Short mmCIF file of all heavy atoms in Angstrom, two decimals:
data_model
loop_
_atom_site.label_atom_id
_atom_site.label_comp_id
_atom_site.label_asym_id
_atom_site.label_seq_id
_atom_site.Cartn_x
_atom_site.Cartn_y
_atom_site.Cartn_z
N LEU A 1189 44.86 112.06 154.69
CA LEU A 1189 46.08 112.31 153.92
C LEU A 1189 45.83 113.14 152.67
O LEU A 1189 46.65 113.96 152.29
CB LEU A 1189 46.71 110.97 153.50
CG LEU A 1189 47.33 110.13 154.60
CD1 LEU A 1189 47.70 108.75 154.07
CD2 LEU A 1189 48.55 110.82 155.17
N PHE A 1190 44.67 112.93 152.02
CA PHE A 1190 44.45 113.55 150.73
C PHE A 1190 43.24 114.45 150.69
O PHE A 1190 42.79 114.86 149.62
CB PHE A 1190 44.34 112.46 149.65
CG PHE A 1190 45.53 111.54 149.66
CD1 PHE A 1190 45.44 110.24 150.10
CD2 PHE A 1190 46.78 112.02 149.27
CE1 PHE A 1190 46.55 109.41 150.13
CE2 PHE A 1190 47.89 111.20 149.30
CZ PHE A 1190 47.78 109.90 149.73
N GLY A 1191 42.68 114.81 151.84
CA GLY A 1191 41.58 115.76 151.90
C GLY A 1191 40.28 115.27 151.31
O GLY A 1191 39.52 116.05 150.74
N LEU A 1192 40.01 113.98 151.43
CA LEU A 1192 38.75 113.43 150.94
C LEU A 1192 37.73 113.42 152.06
O LEU A 1192 38.03 113.06 153.19
CB LEU A 1192 38.97 112.00 150.43
CG LEU A 1192 39.98 111.83 149.30
CD1 LEU A 1192 40.27 110.35 149.06
CD2 LEU A 1192 39.48 112.49 148.04
N GLU A 1193 36.50 113.84 151.75
CA GLU A 1193 35.46 113.88 152.78
C GLU A 1193 35.07 112.47 153.21
O GLU A 1193 34.82 112.22 154.39
CB GLU A 1193 34.24 114.62 152.26
CG GLU A 1193 34.48 116.11 152.07
CD GLU A 1193 33.25 116.82 151.56
OE1 GLU A 1193 32.13 116.29 151.73
OE2 GLU A 1193 33.41 117.90 150.98
N GLU A 1194 34.96 111.58 152.28
CA GLU A 1194 34.61 110.20 152.58
C GLU A 1194 35.22 109.30 151.52
O GLU A 1194 35.68 109.76 150.48
CB GLU A 1194 33.09 110.01 152.60
CG GLU A 1194 32.44 110.27 151.26
CD GLU A 1194 30.95 109.97 151.27
OE1 GLU A 1194 30.57 108.86 151.67
OE2 GLU A 1194 30.19 110.86 150.87
N LEU A 1195 35.22 108.01 151.80
CA LEU A 1195 35.69 107.04 150.82
C LEU A 1195 34.51 106.22 150.34
O LEU A 1195 33.87 105.52 151.10
CB LEU A 1195 36.74 106.12 151.42
CG LEU A 1195 38.10 106.74 151.69
CD1 LEU A 1195 39.05 105.70 152.24
CD2 LEU A 1195 38.68 107.34 150.44
N SER A 1196 34.22 106.38 149.08
CA SER A 1196 33.24 105.52 148.44
C SER A 1196 33.88 105.04 147.15
O SER A 1196 34.82 105.64 146.64
CB SER A 1196 31.94 106.29 148.17
OG SER A 1196 32.20 107.39 147.32
N PHE A 1197 33.37 103.96 146.63
CA PHE A 1197 34.01 103.34 145.48
C PHE A 1197 33.04 103.25 144.32
O PHE A 1197 31.90 102.81 144.48
CB PHE A 1197 34.55 101.96 145.86
CG PHE A 1197 35.59 102.04 146.93
CD1 PHE A 1197 35.24 101.97 148.26
CD2 PHE A 1197 36.91 102.24 146.60
CE1 PHE A 1197 36.20 102.07 149.26
CE2 PHE A 1197 37.89 102.34 147.58
CZ PHE A 1197 37.53 102.26 148.91
N GLY A 1198 33.48 103.71 143.14
CA GLY A 1198 32.69 103.63 141.94
C GLY A 1198 31.62 104.69 141.80
O GLY A 1198 30.79 104.61 140.91
N THR A 1199 31.62 105.69 142.67
CA THR A 1199 30.65 106.77 142.59
C THR A 1199 31.31 107.99 141.97
O THR A 1199 32.54 108.08 141.94
CB THR A 1199 30.11 107.14 143.99
OG1 THR A 1199 31.19 107.67 144.76
CG2 THR A 1199 29.53 105.93 144.70
N PRO A 1200 30.52 108.96 141.48
CA PRO A 1200 31.14 110.16 140.89
C PRO A 1200 32.07 110.91 141.85
O PRO A 1200 33.02 111.54 141.41
CB PRO A 1200 29.94 111.02 140.51
CG PRO A 1200 28.83 110.06 140.31
CD PRO A 1200 29.07 108.96 141.32
N GLN A 1201 31.83 110.82 143.14
CA GLN A 1201 32.68 111.49 144.12
C GLN A 1201 33.63 110.54 144.83
O GLN A 1201 34.23 110.89 145.83
CB GLN A 1201 31.81 112.21 145.16
CG GLN A 1201 30.96 113.31 144.57
CD GLN A 1201 31.80 114.41 143.93
OE1 GLN A 1201 32.79 114.87 144.49
NE2 GLN A 1201 31.40 114.82 142.73
N GLY A 1202 33.78 109.33 144.31
CA GLY A 1202 34.57 108.33 145.02
C GLY A 1202 35.82 107.89 144.28
O GLY A 1202 36.27 108.51 143.33
N LEU A 1203 36.38 106.81 144.77
CA LEU A 1203 37.57 106.20 144.19
C LEU A 1203 37.15 105.13 143.19
O LEU A 1203 36.26 104.34 143.47
CB LEU A 1203 38.42 105.55 145.28
CG LEU A 1203 38.85 106.43 146.45
CD1 LEU A 1203 39.62 105.61 147.46
CD2 LEU A 1203 39.66 107.60 145.97
N TRP A 1204 37.80 105.13 142.05
CA TRP A 1204 37.51 104.12 141.03
C TRP A 1204 38.72 103.22 140.89
O TRP A 1204 39.77 103.66 140.41
CB TRP A 1204 37.22 104.79 139.70
CG TRP A 1204 35.99 105.63 139.67
CD1 TRP A 1204 35.35 106.22 140.72
CD2 TRP A 1204 35.24 105.99 138.52
NE1 TRP A 1204 34.26 106.92 140.29
CE2 TRP A 1204 34.17 106.80 138.95
CE3 TRP A 1204 35.37 105.72 137.18
CZ2 TRP A 1204 33.24 107.32 138.07
CZ3 TRP A 1204 34.45 106.24 136.30
CH2 TRP A 1204 33.38 107.02 136.75
N PRO A 1205 38.63 101.95 141.31
CA PRO A 1205 39.76 101.05 141.12
C PRO A 1205 39.94 100.77 139.62
O PRO A 1205 39.01 100.34 138.95
CB PRO A 1205 39.36 99.80 141.90
CG PRO A 1205 37.89 99.88 142.04
CD PRO A 1205 37.50 101.32 141.96
N ILE A 1206 41.12 101.07 139.10
CA ILE A 1206 41.34 100.90 137.65
C ILE A 1206 42.43 99.89 137.32
O ILE A 1206 42.52 99.45 136.18
CB ILE A 1206 41.63 102.25 136.96
CG1 ILE A 1206 42.86 102.93 137.56
CG2 ILE A 1206 40.42 103.16 137.02
CD1 ILE A 1206 43.31 104.16 136.79
N ALA A 1207 43.26 99.52 138.29
CA ALA A 1207 44.33 98.56 138.00
C ALA A 1207 44.86 97.99 139.31
O ALA A 1207 44.72 98.60 140.37
CB ALA A 1207 45.46 99.22 137.23
N SER A 1208 45.47 96.82 139.19
CA SER A 1208 46.21 96.26 140.31
C SER A 1208 47.48 95.62 139.75
O SER A 1208 47.55 95.32 138.56
CB SER A 1208 45.37 95.24 141.08
OG SER A 1208 45.02 94.16 140.26
N THR A 1209 48.46 95.47 140.60
CA THR A 1209 49.75 94.95 140.15
C THR A 1209 49.99 93.56 140.70
O THR A 1209 49.31 93.10 141.61
CB THR A 1209 50.91 95.87 140.59
OG1 THR A 1209 51.06 95.74 142.02
CG2 THR A 1209 50.63 97.32 140.23
N ASP A 1210 51.00 92.90 140.17
CA ASP A 1210 51.37 91.57 140.66
C ASP A 1210 52.05 91.64 142.02
O ASP A 1210 52.33 90.61 142.62
CB ASP A 1210 52.26 90.85 139.65
CG ASP A 1210 53.57 91.56 139.38
OD1 ASP A 1210 53.73 92.73 139.79
OD2 ASP A 1210 54.45 90.95 138.74
N ARG A 1211 52.28 92.84 142.53
CA ARG A 1211 52.90 93.00 143.85
C ARG A 1211 51.88 93.44 144.90
O ARG A 1211 52.25 93.78 146.00
CB ARG A 1211 54.05 94.00 143.77
CG ARG A 1211 55.12 93.52 142.82
CD ARG A 1211 56.29 94.45 142.73
NE ARG A 1211 55.88 95.82 142.63
CZ ARG A 1211 56.66 96.85 142.95
NH1 ARG A 1211 57.88 96.64 143.36
NH2 ARG A 1211 56.22 98.08 142.83
N GLY A 1212 50.60 93.48 144.55
CA GLY A 1212 49.56 93.78 145.53
C GLY A 1212 49.12 95.23 145.59
O GLY A 1212 48.27 95.58 146.40
N GLU A 1213 49.66 96.10 144.74
CA GLU A 1213 49.24 97.49 144.74
C GLU A 1213 47.92 97.62 143.99
O GLU A 1213 47.68 96.90 143.03
CB GLU A 1213 50.30 98.37 144.07
CG GLU A 1213 51.59 98.42 144.83
CD GLU A 1213 52.80 98.18 143.95
OE1 GLU A 1213 52.67 97.63 142.86
OE2 GLU A 1213 53.90 98.52 144.40
N THR A 1214 47.09 98.55 144.45
CA THR A 1214 45.84 98.86 143.76
C THR A 1214 45.87 100.33 143.38
O THR A 1214 46.21 101.19 144.19
CB THR A 1214 44.62 98.58 144.66
OG1 THR A 1214 44.67 97.22 145.07
CG2 THR A 1214 43.32 98.82 143.90
N VAL A 1215 45.53 100.63 142.12
CA VAL A 1215 45.54 101.99 141.60
C VAL A 1215 44.09 102.46 141.49
O VAL A 1215 43.25 101.78 140.89
CB VAL A 1215 46.22 102.06 140.22
CG1 VAL A 1215 46.25 103.48 139.71
CG2 VAL A 1215 47.62 101.46 140.29
N PHE A 1216 43.81 103.62 142.10
CA PHE A 1216 42.48 104.20 142.06
C PHE A 1216 42.52 105.53 141.32
O PHE A 1216 43.46 106.32 141.50
CB PHE A 1216 41.98 104.50 143.48
CG PHE A 1216 41.82 103.28 144.34
CD1 PHE A 1216 42.84 102.88 145.18
CD2 PHE A 1216 40.64 102.56 144.32
CE1 PHE A 1216 42.70 101.77 145.99
CE2 PHE A 1216 40.49 101.44 145.13
CZ PHE A 1216 41.52 101.04 145.96
N LEU A 1217 41.52 105.80 140.51
CA LEU A 1217 41.32 107.10 139.89
C LEU A 1217 40.47 107.92 140.85
O LEU A 1217 39.45 107.45 141.35
CB LEU A 1217 40.61 106.96 138.55
CG LEU A 1217 40.22 108.28 137.86
CD1 LEU A 1217 41.47 109.04 137.44
CD2 LEU A 1217 39.32 108.02 136.67
N VAL A 1218 40.91 109.15 141.13
CA VAL A 1218 40.17 110.05 142.01
C VAL A 1218 39.75 111.26 141.18
O VAL A 1218 40.59 112.02 140.72
CB VAL A 1218 41.02 110.51 143.21
CG1 VAL A 1218 40.22 111.40 144.14
CG2 VAL A 1218 41.57 109.30 143.96
N ALA A 1219 38.45 111.42 140.98
CA ALA A 1219 37.94 112.54 140.19
C ALA A 1219 37.06 113.45 141.04
O ALA A 1219 36.46 114.38 140.53
CB ALA A 1219 37.16 112.02 139.00
N ALA A 1220 36.97 113.19 142.32
CA ALA A 1220 36.05 113.89 143.22
C ALA A 1220 36.38 115.37 143.34
O ALA A 1220 37.37 115.75 143.94
CB ALA A 1220 36.07 113.25 144.60
N GLY A 1221 35.53 116.21 142.74
CA GLY A 1221 35.61 117.65 142.93
C GLY A 1221 36.89 118.30 142.45
O GLY A 1221 37.26 119.35 142.93
N THR A 1222 37.59 117.69 141.51
CA THR A 1222 38.83 118.30 141.03
C THR A 1222 38.73 118.55 139.53
O THR A 1222 38.02 117.85 138.82
CB THR A 1222 40.04 117.38 141.29
OG1 THR A 1222 39.84 116.16 140.59
CG2 THR A 1222 40.22 117.11 142.76
N ALA A 1223 39.45 119.56 139.08
CA ALA A 1223 39.46 119.86 137.65
C ALA A 1223 40.21 118.77 136.88
O ALA A 1223 39.84 118.41 135.78
CB ALA A 1223 40.11 121.22 137.41
N ALA A 1224 41.28 118.25 137.48
CA ALA A 1224 42.07 117.20 136.84
C ALA A 1224 42.10 115.98 137.75
O ALA A 1224 42.46 116.08 138.91
CB ALA A 1224 43.49 117.70 136.59
N PRO A 1225 41.69 114.84 137.24
CA PRO A 1225 41.75 113.63 138.06
C PRO A 1225 43.18 113.29 138.46
O PRO A 1225 44.13 113.68 137.79
CB PRO A 1225 41.18 112.54 137.16
CG PRO A 1225 40.57 113.24 136.01
CD PRO A 1225 41.18 114.60 135.91
N TRP A 1226 43.34 112.58 139.55
CA TRP A 1226 44.65 112.14 139.99
C TRP A 1226 44.54 110.69 140.44
O TRP A 1226 43.46 110.13 140.50
CB TRP A 1226 45.22 113.04 141.08
CG TRP A 1226 44.28 113.43 142.19
CD1 TRP A 1226 43.36 114.43 142.15
CD2 TRP A 1226 44.17 112.84 143.49
NE1 TRP A 1226 42.69 114.50 143.35
CE2 TRP A 1226 43.17 113.54 144.18
CE3 TRP A 1226 44.82 111.79 144.13
CZ2 TRP A 1226 42.80 113.21 145.49
CZ3 TRP A 1226 44.47 111.48 145.43
CH2 TRP A 1226 43.47 112.19 146.10
N LEU A 1227 45.68 110.07 140.71
CA LEU A 1227 45.71 108.66 141.06
C LEU A 1227 46.12 108.48 142.51
O LEU A 1227 46.95 109.21 143.04
CB LEU A 1227 46.71 107.92 140.17
CG LEU A 1227 46.41 107.97 138.68
CD1 LEU A 1227 47.57 107.36 137.91
CD2 LEU A 1227 45.13 107.27 138.36
N LEU A 1228 45.53 107.48 143.13
CA LEU A 1228 45.85 107.11 144.49
C LEU A 1228 46.26 105.64 144.46
O LEU A 1228 45.55 104.81 143.88
CB LEU A 1228 44.61 107.31 145.37
CG LEU A 1228 44.73 107.17 146.86
CD1 LEU A 1228 45.74 108.18 147.42
CD2 LEU A 1228 43.38 107.38 147.51
N VAL A 1229 47.42 105.33 145.03
CA VAL A 1229 47.92 103.95 145.00
C VAL A 1229 48.03 103.44 146.42
O VAL A 1229 48.59 104.10 147.29
CB VAL A 1229 49.30 103.88 144.30
CG1 VAL A 1229 49.83 102.46 144.29
CG2 VAL A 1229 49.21 104.43 142.89
N GLU A 1230 47.45 102.26 146.65
CA GLU A 1230 47.53 101.59 147.95
C GLU A 1230 48.38 100.35 147.75
O GLU A 1230 48.19 99.60 146.80
CB GLU A 1230 46.13 101.22 148.43
CG GLU A 1230 46.05 100.84 149.90
CD GLU A 1230 46.20 99.35 150.11
OE1 GLU A 1230 45.84 98.58 149.21
OE2 GLU A 1230 46.70 98.97 151.17
N ASP A 1231 49.36 100.14 148.63
CA ASP A 1231 50.34 99.07 148.41
C ASP A 1231 49.97 97.72 148.98
O ASP A 1231 50.79 96.81 149.00
CB ASP A 1231 51.71 99.51 148.93
CG ASP A 1231 51.79 99.53 150.44
OD1 ASP A 1231 50.76 99.35 151.12
OD2 ASP A 1231 52.91 99.73 150.96
N GLY A 1232 48.75 97.56 149.47
CA GLY A 1232 48.35 96.28 150.05
C GLY A 1232 48.61 96.21 151.53
O GLY A 1232 48.19 95.27 152.20
N GLU A 1233 49.30 97.20 152.07
CA GLU A 1233 49.58 97.23 153.50
C GLU A 1233 49.14 98.55 154.12
O GLU A 1233 49.72 99.03 155.09
CB GLU A 1233 51.08 97.02 153.74
CG GLU A 1233 51.55 95.65 153.26
CD GLU A 1233 53.03 95.44 153.47
OE1 GLU A 1233 53.67 96.25 154.17
OE2 GLU A 1233 53.55 94.45 152.94
#
């Protein structure tokens, strides 16, 4: 969906979980190979 080569967590090229909500969503910071980081949200499903 987002053009990521692989999914790793907490690595310089991976997803960094930075928050979760009371509704089950998890917010990840994505800094892999981009000039500006962006956020990826997974809704628990």
